[in-house]
Amino acid sequence: MSEISQKTLNAPSGHTANQAGPRHAYDNDEIDLFELLLRLWDKKGMILLVTLVTTLIAGIYAFTAKEQWTVKSLCLPPRMAQMDDYLTLRRPLLG
């Protein structure tokens, strides 16, 4: 493991977690992106494993779940009376 991943998360840099005193917000509220990326890279196996297991569970559920919905549709051609109404409304739009 890298030296960065062995640091304690509770203590600001330069301090130890065992020092007495009240806990105050860090003076430096910046995020060290390089350290964050290193920690993510160190845990890439766990991230990949969790992602694959979750995807597998979701896929199994999606393909084996019982359908709880049903849709039926019936399409019929329009009757002449309906076409007459349609053409009457459309004529002014065509100009």
Side-chain angles (χ1 to χ4, degrees):
M1 284 180 116
S2 70
E3 186 178 303
I4 292 174
S5 64
Q6 294 173 357
K7 288 183 183 178
T8 59
L9 294 176
N10 297 334
S13 60
H15 295 82
T16 62
N18 296 335
Q19 285 181 336
R23 290 187 165 223
H24 295 288
Y26 296 129
D27 293 334
N28 184 2
D29 61 352
E30 294 179 2
I31 297 174
D32 186 2
L33 293 178
F34 185 71
E35 181 180 349
L36 177 64
L37 289 175
L38 280 177
R39 286 179 185 236
L40 288 172
W41 187 254
D42 286 343
K43 300 293 183 177
K44 67 182 176 280
M46 180 61 73
I47 294 169
L48 183 63
L49 179 67
V50 169
T51 302
L52 290 175
V53 167
T54 304
T55 303
L56 181 66
I57 291 171
I60 290 171
Y61 176 76
F63 289 110
T64 60
K66 183 179 177 184
E67 280 189 30
Q68 297 178 3
W69 58 91
T70 306
V71 176
K72 292 183 181 181
S73 177
L74 179 62
C75 294
L76 298 173
R79 293 176 293 176
M80 287 308 285
Q82 291 173 327
M83 287 300 293
D84 187 40
D85 292 341
Y86 169 73
L87 293 174
T88 302
L89 292 173
R90 189 170 174 212
R91 277 192 194 109
L93 296 175
L94 295 176

